[in-house]
Amino acid sequence: NIMDTKFARRTERIGRTTCSYWRAGKCNRNPCRFVHIETPSPPAACGYGNTAYSYGKKPHSSSENTPKYGSKKALLRDNGDRGDATRVAKAFKKSSPRICKYWINNNCVHGEQCLYLHSWFRGDGFSTVTKLQEHKKVITGIALPVGSDKLYSGSTDGTVRIWDCHTGQCAKVINLGAEVTSLISEGSWIFVGLQNAVKAWNIQTMSEFTLDGPKGRVRAMTVGNNTLFAAAEDGVIFAWRGSSKADSPFELVASLTGHTKAVVCLAVGCKMLYSGSMDQSIKVWDMDTLQCTMTLNDHTDAVTSLICWDQYLLSSSSDRTIKVWACIEAGSLEVIYTHTEENGVVSLFGMPDAEGKPILFSSCRDNSVHMYELPSFSERGRLFAKKDVALIELGPGGLFFTGDESGLLMVWKWLEVPKVASS
Protein backbone atom coordinates (compact mmCIF):
# COMPACT_ATOMS: atom_id res chain seq x y z
CA ASN A 1 0.00 0.00 0.00
CA ILE A 2 1.54 3.27 -1.18
CA MET A 3 -0.11 5.35 1.59
CA ASP A 4 1.06 2.96 4.31
CA THR A 5 4.61 3.06 2.91
CA LYS A 6 4.65 6.88 2.87
CA PHE A 7 3.25 6.99 6.41
CA ALA A 8 5.91 4.52 7.59
CA ARG A 9 8.67 6.56 5.98
CA ARG A 10 7.29 9.78 7.47
CA THR A 11 7.05 8.16 10.91
CA GLU A 12 10.63 6.90 10.62
CA ARG A 13 11.81 10.37 9.54
CA ILE A 14 10.00 12.00 12.47
CA GLY A 15 11.46 9.38 14.78
CA ARG A 16 14.96 10.47 13.77
CA THR A 17 14.22 14.21 14.18
CA THR A 18 15.17 16.04 17.36
CA CYS A 19 12.32 18.07 18.86
CA SER A 20 13.07 21.77 18.35
CA TYR A 21 10.86 22.69 21.31
CA TRP A 22 12.80 20.24 23.50
CA ARG A 23 16.03 21.94 22.42
CA ALA A 24 14.61 25.26 23.67
CA GLY A 25 13.37 23.65 26.87
CA LYS A 26 9.72 24.32 25.95
CA CYS A 27 8.25 20.96 24.87
CA ASN A 28 5.16 20.06 26.89
CA ARG A 29 4.03 16.96 24.97
CA ASN A 30 4.11 13.57 26.65
CA PRO A 31 4.57 11.50 24.59
CA CYS A 32 6.21 13.63 21.90
CA ARG A 33 6.49 12.26 18.37
CA PHE A 34 9.96 13.80 17.99
CA VAL A 35 13.01 12.59 19.91
CA HIS A 36 14.40 14.36 22.96
CA ILE A 37 18.07 13.55 22.36
CA GLU A 38 20.52 14.92 19.80
CA THR A 39 21.50 11.49 18.38
CA PRO A 40 18.45 9.22 18.83
CA SER A 41 19.13 5.60 19.64
CA PRO A 42 16.97 3.69 19.02
CA PRO A 43 15.30 5.99 16.43
CA ALA A 44 11.74 5.50 17.63
CA ALA A 45 12.40 6.28 21.32
CA CYS A 46 11.37 9.64 22.73
CA GLY A 47 13.87 9.27 25.55
CA TYR A 48 11.55 10.00 28.48
CA GLY A 49 12.13 7.16 30.89
CA ASN A 50 15.80 6.53 30.13
CA THR A 51 17.39 9.98 30.03
CA ALA A 52 20.00 10.36 32.78
CA TYR A 53 20.31 13.76 34.49
CA SER A 54 22.76 15.64 36.59
CA TYR A 55 21.76 19.10 37.76
CA GLY A 56 22.19 21.62 34.98
CA LYS A 57 23.28 19.07 32.33
CA LYS A 58 21.65 16.66 29.87
CA PRO A 59 23.89 13.91 28.48
CA HIS A 60 23.97 13.78 24.66
CA SER A 61 22.56 17.28 24.30
CA SER A 62 24.30 20.42 23.09
CA SER A 63 25.41 22.80 25.83
CA GLU A 64 23.80 25.81 24.21
CA ASN A 65 20.40 24.10 24.47
CA THR A 66 20.69 23.16 28.13
CA PRO A 67 17.91 24.86 30.17
CA LYS A 68 19.27 27.70 32.25
CA TYR A 69 19.48 27.63 36.06
CA GLY A 70 15.99 28.06 37.40
CA SER A 71 14.22 26.52 34.38
CA LYS A 72 12.42 23.96 36.54
CA LYS A 73 9.55 23.43 34.10
CA ALA A 74 11.95 22.55 31.30
CA LEU A 75 13.74 20.04 33.51
CA LEU A 76 10.53 18.26 34.45
CA ARG A 77 9.11 18.27 30.91
CA ASP A 78 12.20 16.50 29.64
CA ASN A 79 11.54 13.52 31.90
CA GLY A 80 8.24 11.69 32.14
CA ASP A 81 9.48 9.18 34.71
CA ARG A 82 8.20 9.99 38.19
CA GLY A 83 11.34 8.80 39.93
CA ASP A 84 13.67 10.86 37.72
CA ALA A 85 11.43 13.92 38.10
CA THR A 86 11.62 13.60 41.87
CA ARG A 87 15.42 13.37 41.76
CA VAL A 88 15.58 16.45 39.54
CA ALA A 89 13.26 18.32 41.91
CA LYS A 90 15.39 17.43 44.90
CA ALA A 91 18.57 18.46 43.09
CA PHE A 92 17.01 21.79 42.13
CA LYS A 93 15.68 22.33 45.63
CA LYS A 94 19.12 21.67 47.09
CA SER A 95 20.74 24.17 44.74
CA SER A 96 17.97 26.78 44.57
CA PRO A 97 18.65 29.98 46.53
CA ARG A 98 14.95 30.80 46.72
CA ILE A 99 12.47 29.97 49.47
CA CYS A 100 8.98 28.73 48.62
CA LYS A 101 6.57 31.62 49.09
CA TYR A 102 3.68 29.18 49.53
CA TRP A 103 5.52 27.24 52.25
CA ILE A 104 6.08 30.52 54.12
CA ASN A 105 2.30 30.89 54.32
CA ASN A 106 1.75 27.19 55.15
CA ASN A 107 -0.08 26.37 51.91
CA CYS A 108 2.45 24.66 49.63
CA VAL A 109 0.85 21.53 48.12
CA HIS A 110 3.99 20.02 46.59
CA GLY A 111 5.66 18.81 49.78
CA GLU A 112 9.09 17.25 49.25
CA GLN A 113 8.74 17.56 45.47
CA CYS A 114 8.56 21.35 45.63
CA LEU A 115 11.34 22.95 43.63
CA TYR A 116 11.97 25.69 46.20
CA LEU A 117 13.34 25.58 49.72
CA HIS A 118 11.08 24.67 52.62
CA SER A 119 13.43 26.21 55.16
CA TRP A 120 14.19 29.63 56.62
CA PHE A 121 17.89 29.16 55.90
CA ARG A 122 20.52 27.36 53.84
CA GLY A 123 23.85 26.50 55.41
CA ASP A 124 25.12 25.07 58.68
CA GLY A 125 26.41 26.29 62.01
CA PHE A 126 23.19 28.12 62.91
CA SER A 127 19.48 27.42 63.31
CA THR A 128 16.14 29.09 63.91
CA VAL A 129 14.85 29.33 67.48
CA THR A 130 11.44 30.89 66.98
CA LYS A 131 9.57 33.46 64.94
CA LEU A 132 7.56 36.31 66.47
CA GLN A 133 4.83 37.63 64.19
CA GLU A 134 3.06 40.45 66.05
CA HIS A 135 4.15 43.60 64.22
CA LYS A 136 2.09 44.51 61.17
CA LYS A 137 4.65 46.56 59.25
CA VAL A 138 8.41 47.09 58.83
CA ILE A 139 10.54 46.34 61.89
CA THR A 140 12.89 49.31 62.23
CA GLY A 141 14.66 48.60 65.50
CA ILE A 142 15.61 45.75 67.85
CA ALA A 143 17.29 46.34 71.21
CA LEU A 144 18.33 44.29 74.24
CA PRO A 145 19.27 46.64 77.10
CA VAL A 146 22.17 45.45 79.23
CA GLY A 147 20.98 43.67 82.37
CA SER A 148 17.40 43.35 81.13
CA ASP A 149 15.50 40.17 80.30
CA LYS A 150 13.34 42.05 77.81
CA LEU A 151 13.67 42.48 74.06
CA TYR A 152 12.38 45.74 72.53
CA SER A 153 11.25 46.01 68.92
CA GLY A 154 9.91 49.02 67.03
CA SER A 155 7.91 49.15 63.82
CA THR A 156 6.34 51.53 61.36
CA ASP A 157 3.00 50.13 62.58
CA GLY A 158 3.39 52.74 65.34
CA THR A 159 4.18 50.37 68.20
CA VAL A 160 7.06 49.30 70.39
CA ARG A 161 6.68 45.75 71.61
CA ILE A 162 8.41 44.42 74.73
CA TRP A 163 9.11 40.68 74.62
CA ASP A 164 9.87 38.37 77.55
CA CYS A 165 13.15 36.65 76.68
CA HIS A 166 12.27 33.59 78.77
CA THR A 167 8.84 32.82 77.33
CA GLY A 168 9.07 34.48 73.92
CA GLN A 169 5.73 36.16 74.58
CA CYS A 170 4.91 39.81 74.00
CA ALA A 171 4.69 41.28 77.52
CA LYS A 172 3.64 44.81 76.58
CA VAL A 173 2.65 46.92 73.58
CA ILE A 174 3.33 50.67 73.58
CA ASN A 175 1.28 52.49 70.96
CA LEU A 176 3.04 55.73 70.04
CA GLY A 177 0.52 56.86 67.43
CA ALA A 178 3.29 57.51 64.89
CA GLU A 179 5.72 55.45 62.85
CA VAL A 180 8.73 54.18 64.77
CA THR A 181 11.55 54.71 62.26
CA SER A 182 14.50 53.62 64.42
CA LEU A 183 15.20 52.18 67.86
CA ILE A 184 18.42 51.52 69.80
CA SER A 185 19.50 50.99 73.42
CA GLU A 186 22.47 52.29 75.38
CA GLY A 187 22.90 51.36 79.03
CA SER A 188 19.54 51.72 80.74
CA TRP A 189 18.19 53.95 77.97
CA ILE A 190 15.93 53.10 75.05
CA PHE A 191 15.92 55.67 72.24
CA VAL A 192 13.02 55.66 69.78
CA GLY A 193 13.19 57.63 66.53
CA LEU A 194 9.92 59.23 65.43
CA GLN A 195 8.74 62.01 63.16
CA ASN A 196 10.51 65.25 64.26
CA ALA A 197 11.62 63.81 67.62
CA VAL A 198 13.46 61.16 69.62
CA LYS A 199 11.83 59.55 72.64
CA ALA A 200 14.20 58.60 75.48
CA TRP A 201 13.05 56.01 78.05
CA ASN A 202 15.00 54.98 81.13
CA ILE A 203 13.95 51.41 81.97
CA GLN A 204 15.36 51.66 85.50
CA THR A 205 13.79 54.92 86.65
CA MET A 206 10.80 54.61 84.27
CA SER A 207 11.35 58.26 83.26
CA GLU A 208 10.60 59.52 79.75
CA PHE A 209 11.92 62.50 77.79
CA THR A 210 11.36 63.95 74.31
CA LEU A 211 14.34 65.27 72.37
CA ASP A 212 13.19 67.81 69.81
CA GLY A 213 15.05 69.23 66.85
CA PRO A 214 15.07 66.73 63.97
CA LYS A 215 13.03 67.59 60.89
CA GLY A 216 11.22 64.65 59.36
CA ARG A 217 11.66 60.99 60.25
CA VAL A 218 14.65 60.00 62.37
CA ARG A 219 16.05 57.22 60.15
CA ALA A 220 19.12 56.16 62.14
CA MET A 221 20.73 56.56 65.58
CA THR A 222 23.94 55.54 67.27
CA VAL A 223 25.95 56.35 70.40
CA GLY A 224 29.65 57.18 70.57
CA ASN A 225 31.93 59.28 72.76
CA ASN A 226 29.06 59.71 75.27
CA THR A 227 27.03 61.35 72.52
CA LEU A 228 23.71 60.33 71.00
CA PHE A 229 23.58 60.94 67.25
CA ALA A 230 20.25 60.99 65.41
CA ALA A 231 20.03 61.27 61.62
CA ALA A 232 17.02 63.06 60.19
CA GLU A 233 15.23 63.04 56.87
CA ASP A 234 16.38 66.57 56.01
CA GLY A 235 20.03 65.43 55.98
CA VAL A 236 20.98 66.89 59.38
CA ILE A 237 22.52 64.82 62.20
CA PHE A 238 21.67 65.95 65.73
CA ALA A 239 24.03 65.33 68.65
CA TRP A 240 23.05 65.25 72.35
CA ARG A 241 25.25 64.78 75.40
CA GLY A 242 24.54 64.27 79.06
CA SER A 243 23.26 67.24 81.01
CA SER A 244 22.73 68.07 84.68
CA LYS A 245 19.55 70.01 83.94
CA ALA A 246 16.52 68.95 85.91
CA ASP A 247 14.08 69.07 83.01
CA SER A 248 16.18 66.82 80.72
CA PRO A 249 19.30 64.69 81.13
CA PHE A 250 20.29 65.47 77.52
CA GLU A 251 21.60 68.66 75.95
CA LEU A 252 21.73 69.37 72.21
CA VAL A 253 25.38 70.16 71.47
CA ALA A 254 25.52 70.25 67.67
CA SER A 255 23.71 69.90 64.37
CA LEU A 256 25.93 68.30 61.75
CA THR A 257 25.07 69.61 58.29
CA GLY A 258 26.45 68.74 54.87
CA HIS A 259 24.30 65.99 53.40
CA THR A 260 21.78 67.16 50.80
CA LYS A 261 19.31 64.30 51.29
CA ALA A 262 18.11 62.04 54.10
CA VAL A 263 20.76 60.37 56.25
CA VAL A 264 19.76 56.71 56.60
CA CYS A 265 22.71 55.06 58.38
CA LEU A 266 25.33 55.85 61.00
CA ALA A 267 28.37 54.03 62.38
CA VAL A 268 31.04 54.77 64.98
CA GLY A 269 34.65 53.60 64.82
CA CYS A 270 38.25 54.82 65.16
CA LYS A 271 37.01 57.95 66.98
CA MET A 272 34.98 58.88 63.94
CA LEU A 273 31.31 59.08 63.09
CA TYR A 274 30.36 57.85 59.60
CA SER A 275 27.09 58.83 57.96
CA GLY A 276 25.51 57.42 54.79
CA SER A 277 22.87 59.26 52.82
CA MET A 278 20.38 59.08 49.99
CA ASP A 279 22.62 61.65 48.30
CA GLN A 280 25.00 58.70 47.54
CA SER A 281 27.78 60.00 49.79
CA ILE A 282 29.47 58.99 53.02
CA LYS A 283 30.71 61.69 55.36
CA VAL A 284 33.36 61.25 58.05
CA TRP A 285 33.01 63.34 61.23
CA ASP A 286 35.54 63.89 64.02
CA MET A 287 33.66 63.05 67.22
CA ASP A 288 35.71 65.45 69.34
CA THR A 289 35.23 68.51 67.15
CA LEU A 290 32.02 67.29 65.41
CA GLN A 291 33.44 68.60 62.13
CA CYS A 292 33.32 66.82 58.76
CA THR A 293 36.83 65.73 57.78
CA MET A 294 36.10 64.07 54.41
CA THR A 295 33.38 63.01 51.99
CA LEU A 296 33.43 59.68 50.15
CA ASN A 297 31.67 59.51 46.79
CA ASP A 298 32.38 56.06 45.35
CA HIS A 299 28.80 54.74 45.46
CA THR A 300 26.47 55.46 42.55
CA ASP A 301 23.18 55.11 44.46
CA ALA A 302 21.87 55.62 47.98
CA VAL A 303 24.19 54.44 50.76
CA THR A 304 22.07 52.04 52.82
CA SER A 305 24.29 50.75 55.62
CA LEU A 306 27.66 51.28 57.35
CA ILE A 307 29.58 49.10 59.79
CA CYS A 308 33.09 49.24 61.24
CA TRP A 309 35.10 46.01 61.29
CA ASP A 310 38.59 45.93 62.72
CA GLN A 311 40.34 48.91 61.06
CA TYR A 312 38.00 48.92 58.08
CA LEU A 313 34.78 50.65 57.12
CA LEU A 314 32.24 48.62 55.16
CA SER A 315 29.47 50.34 53.22
CA SER A 316 26.53 49.05 51.20
CA SER A 317 24.34 50.69 48.62
CA SER A 318 21.34 50.30 46.37
CA ASP A 319 23.93 50.18 43.56
CA ARG A 320 24.35 46.46 44.49
CA THR A 321 27.82 46.83 45.96
CA ILE A 322 29.55 46.41 49.29
CA LYS A 323 32.74 48.44 49.55
CA VAL A 324 35.60 47.92 51.98
CA TRP A 325 37.43 51.11 52.93
CA ALA A 326 40.83 51.43 54.59
CA CYS A 327 43.08 54.25 55.71
CA ILE A 328 45.82 54.59 53.11
CA GLU A 329 47.85 57.63 54.12
CA ALA A 330 47.33 60.88 55.99
CA GLY A 331 44.05 59.52 57.32
CA SER A 332 42.38 59.33 53.90
CA LEU A 333 39.99 56.45 53.17
CA GLU A 334 40.09 54.52 49.92
CA VAL A 335 38.21 51.52 48.58
CA ILE A 336 40.41 48.42 48.68
CA TYR A 337 37.76 45.88 47.68
CA THR A 338 34.30 45.93 46.09
CA HIS A 339 31.88 43.03 46.37
CA THR A 340 28.91 42.98 44.00
CA GLU A 341 25.52 41.45 44.81
CA GLU A 342 22.80 40.52 42.32
CA ASN A 343 20.39 42.94 43.99
CA GLY A 344 20.53 46.18 45.93
CA VAL A 345 21.78 45.84 49.51
CA VAL A 346 19.36 46.84 52.28
CA SER A 347 21.62 46.57 55.33
CA LEU A 348 24.85 45.14 56.71
CA PHE A 349 25.68 43.61 60.05
CA GLY A 350 28.76 41.90 61.45
CA MET A 351 29.16 39.39 64.26
CA PRO A 352 31.32 36.40 65.23
CA ASP A 353 30.02 32.85 64.81
CA ALA A 354 30.28 30.13 67.49
CA GLU A 355 33.98 29.67 66.67
CA GLY A 356 34.74 33.38 66.76
CA LYS A 357 35.05 33.78 62.99
CA PRO A 358 33.88 37.20 61.76
CA ILE A 359 30.70 36.87 59.67
CA LEU A 360 29.23 39.62 57.50
CA PHE A 361 25.46 39.62 56.97
CA SER A 362 24.30 41.29 53.76
CA SER A 363 20.54 41.78 53.47
CA CYS A 364 19.53 42.11 49.81
CA ARG A 365 16.47 43.09 47.81
CA ASP A 366 15.53 39.44 47.23
CA ASN A 367 14.09 38.67 50.68
CA SER A 368 17.33 37.01 51.76
CA VAL A 369 20.42 37.66 53.85
CA HIS A 370 23.74 36.49 52.44
CA MET A 371 26.36 35.42 54.99
CA TYR A 372 30.06 35.81 54.23
CA GLU A 373 33.21 34.92 56.14
CA LEU A 374 35.62 37.83 56.45
CA PRO A 375 38.02 38.77 55.03
CA SER A 376 37.63 36.21 52.21
CA PHE A 377 33.96 36.99 51.41
CA SER A 378 33.39 33.22 50.94
CA GLU A 379 29.68 32.47 51.29
CA ARG A 380 28.75 30.82 54.57
CA GLY A 381 25.00 30.48 54.17
CA ARG A 382 21.80 32.34 53.54
CA LEU A 383 18.79 33.38 55.63
CA PHE A 384 15.32 33.90 54.18
CA ALA A 385 12.36 36.06 55.15
CA LYS A 386 8.86 36.97 54.01
CA LYS A 387 10.10 40.35 52.80
CA ASP A 388 13.41 42.22 52.78
CA VAL A 389 15.24 42.09 56.12
CA ALA A 390 15.47 45.65 57.38
CA LEU A 391 17.84 44.99 60.28
CA ILE A 392 19.86 42.42 62.21
CA GLU A 393 20.82 42.57 65.87
CA LEU A 394 23.13 40.53 68.08
CA GLY A 395 21.83 38.96 71.29
CA PRO A 396 23.37 37.13 74.27
CA GLY A 397 24.37 33.47 74.35
CA GLY A 398 24.88 33.06 70.63
CA LEU A 399 21.47 34.47 69.72
CA PHE A 400 20.83 36.95 66.94
CA PHE A 401 17.68 38.53 65.52
CA THR A 402 16.36 39.56 62.12
CA GLY A 403 13.40 41.83 61.43
CA ASP A 404 11.82 42.08 58.00
CA GLU A 405 9.50 44.46 56.21
CA SER A 406 6.44 42.26 56.83
CA GLY A 407 6.83 42.64 60.60
CA LEU A 408 8.30 39.15 61.13
CA LEU A 409 10.88 38.98 63.93
CA MET A 410 13.06 35.86 63.73
CA VAL A 411 15.25 34.54 66.53
CA TRP A 412 18.36 32.59 65.46
CA LYS A 413 21.16 30.82 67.30
CA TRP A 414 24.72 29.90 66.46
CA LEU A 415 25.35 26.19 67.01
CA GLU A 416 28.33 25.08 69.03
CA VAL A 417 30.80 23.00 67.05
CA PRO A 418 31.41 19.60 68.76
CA LYS A 419 34.93 19.35 70.09
CA VAL A 420 36.95 16.30 69.12
CA ALA A 421 38.51 14.62 72.16
CA SER A 422 42.28 14.54 71.95
CA SER A 423 44.02 11.21 72.43
Side-chain angles (χ1 to χ4, degrees):
N1 187 307
I2 296 176
M3 293 301 294
D4 289 343
T5 302
K6 287 183 177 180
F7 181 79
R9 289 176 178 174
R10 181 173 180 272
T11 302
E12 183 180 2
R13 186 167 61 253
I14 290 173
R16 290 197 301 265
T17 304
T18 300
C19 175
S20 60
Y21 293 97
W22 171 80
R23 284 178 172 175
K26 297 179 180 179
C27 183
N28 57 9
R29 294 181 179 180
N30 186 5
C32 177
R33 57 181 179 169
F34 297 100
V35 297
H36 281 196
I37 52 178
E38 290 296 342
T39 307
S41 177
C46 281
Y48 278 102
N50 301 316
T51 306
Y53 286 90
S54 60
Y55 181 72
K57 290 186 177 180
K58 295 189 190 68
H60 312 298
S61 65
S62 58
S63 60
E64 65 268 20
N65 294 323
T66 301
K68 300 297 183 182
Y69 175 78
S71 181
K72 61 183 184 298
K73 292 183 180 178
L75 286 171
L76 292 179
R77 285 170 184 166
D78 290 345
N79 201 311
D81 180 77
R82 177 68 66 179
D84 282 355
T86 301
R87 284 192 291 274
V88 171
K90 288 183 177 179
F92 187 94
K93 181 176 179 180
K94 183 178 180 181
S95 301
S96 172
R98 295 179 60 187
I99 188 172
C100 175
K101 63 181 180 180
Y102 298 102
W103 175 80
I104 285 178
N105 297 312
N106 301 314
N107 58 10
C108 180
V109 298
H110 298 292
E112 292 186 357
Q113 294 185 22
C114 181
L115 301 182
Y116 297 100
L117 289 173
H118 283 194
S119 173
W120 291 105
F121 65 94
R122 188 179 66 170
D124 53 22
F126 54 92
S127 180
T128 56
V129 176
T130 188
K131 57 180 185 291
L132 310 174
Q133 183 78 74
E134 296 285 346
H135 285 295
K136 306 303 180 186
K137 293 184 180 180
V138 183
I139 294 179
T140 52
I142 300 172
L144 291 94
V146 177
S148 173
D149 62 351
K150 299 293 190 293
L151 170 71
Y152 291 74
S153 61
S155 168
T156 56
D157 63 11
T159 67
V160 170
R161 290 183 176 271
I162 304 175
W163 307 85
D164 189 306
C165 292
H166 300 293
T167 65
Q169 300 297 313
C170 182
K172 186 178 181 180
V173 180
I174 302 172
N175 196 330
L176 295 171
E179 290 186 346
V180 175
T181 52
S182 54
L183 181 148
I184 64 169
S185 67
E186 179 68 19
S188 61
W189 289 95
I190 301 289
F191 298 104
V192 181
L194 302 169
Q195 180 87 9
N196 302 327
V198 174
K199 289 283 187 183
W201 300 333
N202 191 303
I203 60 175
Q204 292 181 350
T205 64
M206 305 306 292
S207 55
E208 178 181 329
F209 301 92
T210 299
L211 310 180
D212 295 316
K215 304 299 180 185
R217 293 175 296 175
V218 175
R219 300 284 296 273
M221 293 185 291
T222 191
V223 174
N225 197 25
N226 296 317
T227 306
L228 169 67
F229 297 97
E233 207 163 23
D234 64 353
V236 179
I237 304 168
F238 289 80
W240 290 272
R241 286 180 179 153
S243 170
S244 58
K245 294 181 180 179
D247 58 338
S248 176
F250 303 97
E251 179 183 7
L252 182 63
V253 293
S255 298
L256 314 185
T257 60
H259 284 293
T260 58
K261 293 184 179 179
V263 177
V264 297
C265 53
L266 298 170
V268 170
C270 299
K271 297 182 179 181
M272 295 292 181
L273 170 71
Y274 305 93
S275 59
S277 170
M278 299 289 286
D279 65 13
Q280 306 180 13
S281 74
I282 301 168
K283 288 188 177 293
V284 184
W285 311 82
D286 187 301
M287 284 199 294
D288 291 327
T289 64
L290 299 181
Q291 298 297 311
C292 181
T293 61
M294 70 184 78
T295 300
L296 313 175
N297 293 300
D298 282 48
H299 283 294
T300 58
D301 206 334
V303 179
T304 56
S305 189
L306 297 166
I307 63 171
C308 294
W309 171 66
D310 199 6
Q311 300 298 312
Y312 304 97
L313 172 70
L314 279 70
S315 63
S316 67
S317 169
S318 298
D319 65 10
R320 302 185 297 114
T321 67
I322 299 170
K323 293 185 181 293
V324 181
W325 305 78
C327 288
I328 304 301
E329 57 183 23
S332 64
L333 285 169
E334 292 187 13
V335 175
I336 60 171
Y337 177 72
T338 297
H339 175 82
T340 303
E341 297 280 16
E342 293 182 2
N343 300 278
V345 184
V346 180
S347 62
L348 298 176
F349 193 82
M351 71 177 79
D353 66 4
E355 295 181 294
K357 296 178 181 177
I359 306 296
L360 175 68
F361 291 73
S362 170
S363 172
C364 297
R365 290 288 180 195
D366 59 358
N367 300 358
S368 74
V369 179
H370 302 216
M371 302 167 62
Y372 302 105
E373 288 190 7
L374 294 178
S376 65
F377 267 86
S378 57
E379 187 161 3
R380 173 67 174 272
R382 196 170 296 191
L383 314 180
F384 302 98
K386 287 188 174 182
K387 291 188 178 181
D388 295 336
V389 173
L391 67 132
I392 304 166
E393 187 60 51
L394 181 63
L399 295 176
F400 61 96
F401 308 87
T402 59
D404 74 13
E405 293 181 355
S406 75
L408 176 63
L409 176 59
M410 292 284 291
V411 184
W412 306 79
K413 184 177 178 62
W414 289 109
L415 302 178
E416 294 290 342
V417 178
K419 296 182 178 180
V420 179
S422 58
S423 56

